[in-house]
mmCIF file with all atom_site columns, all heavy atoms in Angstrom:
data_model
loop_
_atom_site.group_PDB
_atom_site.id
_atom_site.type_symbol
_atom_site.label_atom_id
_atom_site.label_alt_id
_atom_site.label_comp_id
_atom_site.label_asym_id
_atom_site.label_entity_id
_atom_site.label_seq_id
_atom_site.pdbx_PDB_ins_code
_atom_site.Cartn_x
_atom_site.Cartn_y
_atom_site.Cartn_z
_atom_site.occupancy
_atom_site.B_iso_or_equiv
_atom_site.pdbx_formal_charge
_atom_site.auth_seq_id
_atom_site.auth_comp_id
_atom_site.auth_asym_id
_atom_site.auth_atom_id
_atom_site.pdbx_PDB_model_num
ATOM 1   N N   . HIS D 1 116 ? -20.842 -42.133 -93.930 1.00 0.00 ? 116 HIS D N   1
ATOM 2   C CA  . HIS D 1 116 ? -22.087 -41.591 -94.485 1.00 0.00 ? 116 HIS D CA  1
ATOM 3   C C   . HIS D 1 116 ? -23.315 -42.245 -93.856 1.00 0.00 ? 116 HIS D C   1
ATOM 4   O O   . HIS D 1 116 ? -24.375 -41.628 -93.769 1.00 0.00 ? 116 HIS D O   1
ATOM 5   C CB  . HIS D 1 116 ? -22.127 -41.799 -96.003 1.00 0.00 ? 116 HIS D CB  1
ATOM 6   C CG  . HIS D 1 116 ? -21.069 -41.028 -96.749 1.00 0.00 ? 116 HIS D CG  1
ATOM 7   N ND1 . HIS D 1 116 ? -21.065 -39.650 -96.801 1.00 0.00 ? 116 HIS D ND1 1
ATOM 8   C CD2 . HIS D 1 116 ? -19.974 -41.441 -97.439 1.00 0.00 ? 116 HIS D CD2 1
ATOM 9   C CE1 . HIS D 1 116 ? -20.018 -39.238 -97.506 1.00 0.00 ? 116 HIS D CE1 1
ATOM 10  N NE2 . HIS D 1 116 ? -19.336 -40.309 -97.906 1.00 0.00 ? 116 HIS D NE2 1
ATOM 11  N N   . TYR D 1 117 ? -23.156 -43.491 -93.422 1.00 0.00 ? 117 TYR D N   1
ATOM 12  C CA  . TYR D 1 117 ? -24.270 -44.215 -92.808 1.00 0.00 ? 117 TYR D CA  1
ATOM 13  C C   . TYR D 1 117 ? -24.289 -44.039 -91.282 1.00 0.00 ? 117 TYR D C   1
ATOM 14  O O   . TYR D 1 117 ? -25.360 -43.934 -90.683 1.00 0.00 ? 117 TYR D O   1
ATOM 15  C CB  . TYR D 1 117 ? -24.185 -45.704 -93.148 1.00 0.00 ? 117 TYR D CB  1
ATOM 16  C CG  . TYR D 1 117 ? -24.163 -45.972 -94.635 1.00 0.00 ? 117 TYR D CG  1
ATOM 17  C CD1 . TYR D 1 117 ? -22.972 -46.246 -95.291 1.00 0.00 ? 117 TYR D CD1 1
ATOM 18  C CD2 . TYR D 1 117 ? -25.334 -45.948 -95.388 1.00 0.00 ? 117 TYR D CD2 1
ATOM 19  C CE1 . TYR D 1 117 ? -22.940 -46.484 -96.659 1.00 0.00 ? 117 TYR D CE1 1
ATOM 20  C CE2 . TYR D 1 117 ? -25.318 -46.183 -96.758 1.00 0.00 ? 117 TYR D CE2 1
ATOM 21  C CZ  . TYR D 1 117 ? -24.113 -46.452 -97.379 1.00 0.00 ? 117 TYR D CZ  1
ATOM 22  O OH  . TYR D 1 117 ? -24.096 -46.685 -98.735 1.00 0.00 ? 117 TYR D OH  1
ATOM 23  N N   . THR D 1 118 ? -23.117 -44.046 -90.672 1.00 0.00 ? 118 THR D N   1
ATOM 24  C CA  . THR D 1 118 ? -23.057 -43.959 -89.210 1.00 0.00 ? 118 THR D CA  1
ATOM 25  C C   . THR D 1 118 ? -23.119 -42.521 -88.704 1.00 0.00 ? 118 THR D C   1
ATOM 26  O O   . THR D 1 118 ? -23.552 -42.276 -87.581 1.00 0.00 ? 118 THR D O   1
ATOM 27  C CB  . THR D 1 118 ? -21.763 -44.613 -88.694 1.00 0.00 ? 118 THR D CB  1
ATOM 28  O OG1 . THR D 1 118 ? -20.621 -43.911 -89.218 1.00 0.00 ? 118 THR D OG1 1
ATOM 29  C CG2 . THR D 1 118 ? -21.691 -46.072 -89.112 1.00 0.00 ? 118 THR D CG2 1
ATOM 30  N N   . GLY D 1 119 ? -22.650 -41.573 -89.520 1.00 0.00 ? 119 GLY D N   1
ATOM 31  C CA  . GLY D 1 119 ? -22.594 -40.187 -89.080 1.00 0.00 ? 119 GLY D CA  1
ATOM 32  C C   . GLY D 1 119 ? -21.520 -39.930 -88.044 1.00 0.00 ? 119 GLY D C   1
ATOM 33  O O   . GLY D 1 119 ? -21.560 -38.914 -87.335 1.00 0.00 ? 119 GLY D O   1
ATOM 34  N N   . LEU D 1 120 ? -20.531 -40.831 -87.944 1.00 0.00 ? 120 LEU D N   1
ATOM 35  C CA  . LEU D 1 120 ? -19.468 -40.729 -86.935 1.00 0.00 ? 120 LEU D CA  1
ATOM 36  C C   . LEU D 1 120 ? -18.169 -40.276 -87.580 1.00 0.00 ? 120 LEU D C   1
ATOM 37  O O   . LEU D 1 120 ? -17.947 -40.466 -88.784 1.00 0.00 ? 120 LEU D O   1
ATOM 38  C CB  . LEU D 1 120 ? -19.266 -42.081 -86.244 1.00 0.00 ? 120 LEU D CB  1
ATOM 39  C CG  . LEU D 1 120 ? -20.503 -42.667 -85.558 1.00 0.00 ? 120 LEU D CG  1
ATOM 40  C CD1 . LEU D 1 120 ? -20.194 -44.051 -85.003 1.00 0.00 ? 120 LEU D CD1 1
ATOM 41  C CD2 . LEU D 1 120 ? -20.985 -41.747 -84.436 1.00 0.00 ? 120 LEU D CD2 1
ATOM 42  N N   . ASN D 1 121 ? -17.292 -39.678 -86.768 1.00 0.00 ? 121 ASN D N   1
ATOM 43  C CA  . ASN D 1 121 ? -16.000 -39.187 -87.238 1.00 0.00 ? 121 ASN D CA  1
ATOM 44  C C   . ASN D 1 121 ? -14.876 -40.101 -86.763 1.00 0.00 ? 121 ASN D C   1
ATOM 45  O O   . ASN D 1 121 ? -15.001 -40.778 -85.741 1.00 0.00 ? 121 ASN D O   1
ATOM 46  C CB  . ASN D 1 121 ? -15.753 -37.769 -86.719 1.00 0.00 ? 121 ASN D CB  1
ATOM 47  C CG  . ASN D 1 121 ? -16.849 -36.807 -87.141 1.00 0.00 ? 121 ASN D CG  1
ATOM 48  O OD1 . ASN D 1 121 ? -17.284 -36.819 -88.289 1.00 0.00 ? 121 ASN D OD1 1
ATOM 49  N ND2 . ASN D 1 121 ? -17.291 -35.969 -86.212 1.00 0.00 ? 121 ASN D ND2 1
ATOM 50  N N   . MET D 1 122 ? -13.775 -40.099 -87.490 1.00 0.00 ? 122 MET D N   1
ATOM 51  C CA  . MET D 1 122 ? -12.615 -40.884 -87.078 1.00 0.00 ? 122 MET D CA  1
ATOM 52  C C   . MET D 1 122 ? -12.014 -40.335 -85.797 1.00 0.00 ? 122 MET D C   1
ATOM 53  O O   . MET D 1 122 ? -11.592 -41.101 -84.927 1.00 0.00 ? 122 MET D O   1
ATOM 54  C CB  . MET D 1 122 ? -11.554 -40.894 -88.187 1.00 0.00 ? 122 MET D CB  1
ATOM 55  C CG  . MET D 1 122 ? -11.915 -41.726 -89.394 1.00 0.00 ? 122 MET D CG  1
ATOM 56  S SD  . MET D 1 122 ? -10.539 -41.846 -90.578 1.00 0.00 ? 122 MET D SD  1
ATOM 57  C CE  . MET D 1 122 ? -9.352  -42.788 -89.638 1.00 0.00 ? 122 MET D CE  1
ATOM 58  N N   . THR D 1 123 ? -11.948 -39.024 -85.679 1.00 0.00 ? 123 THR D N   1
ATOM 59  C CA  . THR D 1 123 ? -11.375 -38.395 -84.494 1.00 0.00 ? 123 THR D CA  1
ATOM 60  C C   . THR D 1 123 ? -12.306 -37.288 -84.010 1.00 0.00 ? 123 THR D C   1
ATOM 61  O O   . THR D 1 123 ? -13.127 -36.773 -84.769 1.00 0.00 ? 123 THR D O   1
ATOM 62  C CB  . THR D 1 123 ? -9.988  -37.805 -84.792 1.00 0.00 ? 123 THR D CB  1
ATOM 63  O OG1 . THR D 1 123 ? -10.121 -36.802 -85.824 1.00 0.00 ? 123 THR D OG1 1
ATOM 64  C CG2 . THR D 1 123 ? -9.012  -38.874 -85.239 1.00 0.00 ? 123 THR D CG2 1
ATOM 65  N N   . GLY D 1 124 ? -12.140 -36.935 -82.768 1.00 0.00 ? 124 GLY D N   1
ATOM 66  C CA  . GLY D 1 124 ? -12.952 -35.856 -82.207 1.00 0.00 ? 124 GLY D CA  1
ATOM 67  C C   . GLY D 1 124 ? -13.061 -35.998 -80.708 1.00 0.00 ? 124 GLY D C   1
ATOM 68  O O   . GLY D 1 124 ? -13.020 -37.108 -80.161 1.00 0.00 ? 124 GLY D O   1
ATOM 69  N N   . SER D 1 125 ? -13.200 -34.881 -80.028 1.00 0.00 ? 125 SER D N   1
ATOM 70  C CA  . SER D 1 125 ? -13.310 -34.883 -78.573 1.00 0.00 ? 125 SER D CA  1
ATOM 71  C C   . SER D 1 125 ? -14.740 -34.569 -78.160 1.00 0.00 ? 125 SER D C   1
ATOM 72  O O   . SER D 1 125 ? -15.646 -34.476 -78.992 1.00 0.00 ? 125 SER D O   1
ATOM 73  C CB  . SER D 1 125 ? -12.339 -33.870 -77.976 1.00 0.00 ? 125 SER D CB  1
ATOM 74  O OG  . SER D 1 125 ? -12.218 -34.072 -76.573 1.00 0.00 ? 125 SER D OG  1
ATOM 75  N N   . LEU D 1 126 ? -14.940 -34.406 -76.855 1.00 0.00 ? 126 LEU D N   1
ATOM 76  C CA  . LEU D 1 126 ? -16.290 -34.192 -76.337 1.00 0.00 ? 126 LEU D CA  1
ATOM 77  C C   . LEU D 1 126 ? -16.849 -32.853 -76.782 1.00 0.00 ? 126 LEU D C   1
ATOM 78  O O   . LEU D 1 126 ? -18.058 -32.723 -76.998 1.00 0.00 ? 126 LEU D O   1
ATOM 79  C CB  . LEU D 1 126 ? -16.267 -34.269 -74.808 1.00 0.00 ? 126 LEU D CB  1
ATOM 80  C CG  . LEU D 1 126 ? -17.615 -34.158 -74.098 1.00 0.00 ? 126 LEU D CG  1
ATOM 81  C CD1 . LEU D 1 126 ? -18.556 -35.263 -74.539 1.00 0.00 ? 126 LEU D CD1 1
ATOM 82  C CD2 . LEU D 1 126 ? -17.419 -34.198 -72.585 1.00 0.00 ? 126 LEU D CD2 1
ATOM 83  N N   . TYR D 1 127 ? -15.981 -31.860 -76.943 1.00 0.00 ? 127 TYR D N   1
ATOM 84  C CA  . TYR D 1 127 ? -16.417 -30.524 -77.366 1.00 0.00 ? 127 TYR D CA  1
ATOM 85  C C   . TYR D 1 127 ? -15.649 -30.110 -78.607 1.00 0.00 ? 127 TYR D C   1
ATOM 86  O O   . TYR D 1 127 ? -14.458 -30.383 -78.737 1.00 0.00 ? 127 TYR D O   1
ATOM 87  C CB  . TYR D 1 127 ? -16.195 -29.495 -76.251 1.00 0.00 ? 127 TYR D CB  1
ATOM 88  C CG  . TYR D 1 127 ? -17.071 -29.695 -75.041 1.00 0.00 ? 127 TYR D CG  1
ATOM 89  C CD1 . TYR D 1 127 ? -16.582 -30.332 -73.911 1.00 0.00 ? 127 TYR D CD1 1
ATOM 90  C CD2 . TYR D 1 127 ? -18.383 -29.237 -75.016 1.00 0.00 ? 127 TYR D CD2 1
ATOM 91  C CE1 . TYR D 1 127 ? -17.377 -30.522 -72.791 1.00 0.00 ? 127 TYR D CE1 1
ATOM 92  C CE2 . TYR D 1 127 ? -19.190 -29.409 -73.904 1.00 0.00 ? 127 TYR D CE2 1
ATOM 93  C CZ  . TYR D 1 127 ? -18.680 -30.055 -72.799 1.00 0.00 ? 127 TYR D CZ  1
ATOM 94  O OH  . TYR D 1 127 ? -19.481 -30.235 -71.690 1.00 0.00 ? 127 TYR D OH  1
ATOM 95  N N   . ASN D 1 128 ? -16.338 -29.453 -79.504 1.00 0.00 ? 128 ASN D N   1
ATOM 96  C CA  . ASN D 1 128 ? -15.723 -28.803 -80.659 1.00 0.00 ? 128 ASN D CA  1
ATOM 97  C C   . ASN D 1 128 ? -15.876 -27.291 -80.510 1.00 0.00 ? 128 ASN D C   1
ATOM 98  O O   . ASN D 1 128 ? -16.916 -26.812 -80.067 1.00 0.00 ? 128 ASN D O   1
ATOM 99  C CB  . ASN D 1 128 ? -16.367 -29.262 -81.968 1.00 0.00 ? 128 ASN D CB  1
ATOM 100 C CG  . ASN D 1 128 ? -15.910 -30.654 -82.377 1.00 0.00 ? 128 ASN D CG  1
ATOM 101 O OD1 . ASN D 1 128 ? -14.910 -31.163 -81.870 1.00 0.00 ? 128 ASN D OD1 1
ATOM 102 N ND2 . ASN D 1 128 ? -16.651 -31.281 -83.273 1.00 0.00 ? 128 ASN D ND2 1
ATOM 103 N N   . ILE D 1 129 ? -14.849 -26.575 -80.890 1.00 0.00 ? 129 ILE D N   1
ATOM 104 C CA  . ILE D 1 129 ? -14.868 -25.121 -80.780 1.00 0.00 ? 129 ILE D CA  1
ATOM 105 C C   . ILE D 1 129 ? -15.231 -24.535 -82.136 1.00 0.00 ? 129 ILE D C   1
ATOM 106 O O   . ILE D 1 129 ? -14.489 -24.683 -83.114 1.00 0.00 ? 129 ILE D O   1
ATOM 107 C CB  . ILE D 1 129 ? -13.508 -24.568 -80.298 1.00 0.00 ? 129 ILE D CB  1
ATOM 108 C CG1 . ILE D 1 129 ? -13.093 -25.249 -78.994 1.00 0.00 ? 129 ILE D CG1 1
ATOM 109 C CG2 . ILE D 1 129 ? -13.586 -23.062 -80.131 1.00 0.00 ? 129 ILE D CG2 1
ATOM 110 C CD1 . ILE D 1 129 ? -14.057 -25.019 -77.852 1.00 0.00 ? 129 ILE D CD1 1
ATOM 111 N N   . ASP D 1 130 ? -16.387 -23.897 -82.194 1.00 0.00 ? 130 ASP D N   1
ATOM 112 C CA  . ASP D 1 130 ? -16.839 -23.223 -83.403 1.00 0.00 ? 130 ASP D CA  1
ATOM 113 C C   . ASP D 1 130 ? -16.592 -21.729 -83.253 1.00 0.00 ? 130 ASP D C   1
ATOM 114 O O   . ASP D 1 130 ? -16.957 -21.138 -82.229 1.00 0.00 ? 130 ASP D O   1
ATOM 115 C CB  . ASP D 1 130 ? -18.336 -23.490 -83.632 1.00 0.00 ? 130 ASP D CB  1
ATOM 116 C CG  . ASP D 1 130 ? -18.815 -22.965 -84.980 1.00 0.00 ? 130 ASP D CG  1
ATOM 117 O OD1 . ASP D 1 130 ? -19.076 -21.748 -85.067 1.00 0.00 ? 130 ASP D OD1 1
ATOM 118 O OD2 . ASP D 1 130 ? -18.930 -23.773 -85.916 1.00 0.00 ? 130 ASP D OD2 1
#
Side-chain angles (χ1 to χ4, degrees):
H116 295 294
Y117 303 100
T118 62
L120 302 176
N121 302 316
M122 288 187 66
T123 61
S125 193
L126 184 60
Y127 293 99
N128 284 344
I129 306 299
D130 188 279

